[in-house]
Amino acid sequence: MNGVDAFAAVADRLDLFACRDVADWCRAQDGAGMTAADAFEAVADYCDIAAHAMPVLGNYVGFERYVAYGGIAGWCRKAGRDAWAYRKE
C-alpha cells in the first residue's frame, strides 16, 4: 500500500461514518511519493487539528464531531503503525 491507496482507504472508511469533510480532504490529497504510514499520519494530524477547532462546550454536535475526529485519528495512527511494520522493502 502506498500513500495514494492509504488516502483512498481512509476516505472509503469515512464514508461509512458520514464524515464527509475529512473524506473530501483525503480525496483531495495526492499521496504520490508518500508511504502509507506517512499518509495515515497526515490524516491523523489533520483530524487532531480539526478536533481542537470544534466548539465542544455546550454544543452536542461539536462534541460529537470532536469524538469522531479523535476516533479517526486513532484508527489512522494504528493503520500507519501497521503499514510501517508490514511494509515491503
Side-chain angles (χ1 to χ4, degrees):
M1 178 180 280
N2 59 30
V4 175
D5 295 336
F7 279 121
V10 174
D12 289 345
R13 183 173 177 85
L14 293 173
D15 286 341
L16 299 173
F17 299 101
C19 292
R20 177 86 353 274
D21 50 344
V22 184
D24 288 346
W25 181 85
C26 287
R27 288 193 173 95
Q29 304 311 302
D30 181 10
M34 291 179 80
T35 66
D38 290 340
F40 284 125
E41 188 63 29
V43 178
D45 290 345
Y46 176 86
C47 288
D48 285 342
I49 292 167
H52 292 296
M54 290 287 125
V56 175
L57 297 175
N59 184 334
Y60 181 76
V61 174
F63 182 73
E64 187 176 61
R65 298 302 285 174
Y66 176 81
V67 171
Y69 282 130
I72 295 163
W75 181 84
C76 287
R77 287 208 165 85
K78 182 186 179 322
R81 285 190 303 272
D82 291 348
W84 178 253
Y86 298 110
R87 73 188 187 284
K88 293 181 181 178
E89 298 294 334

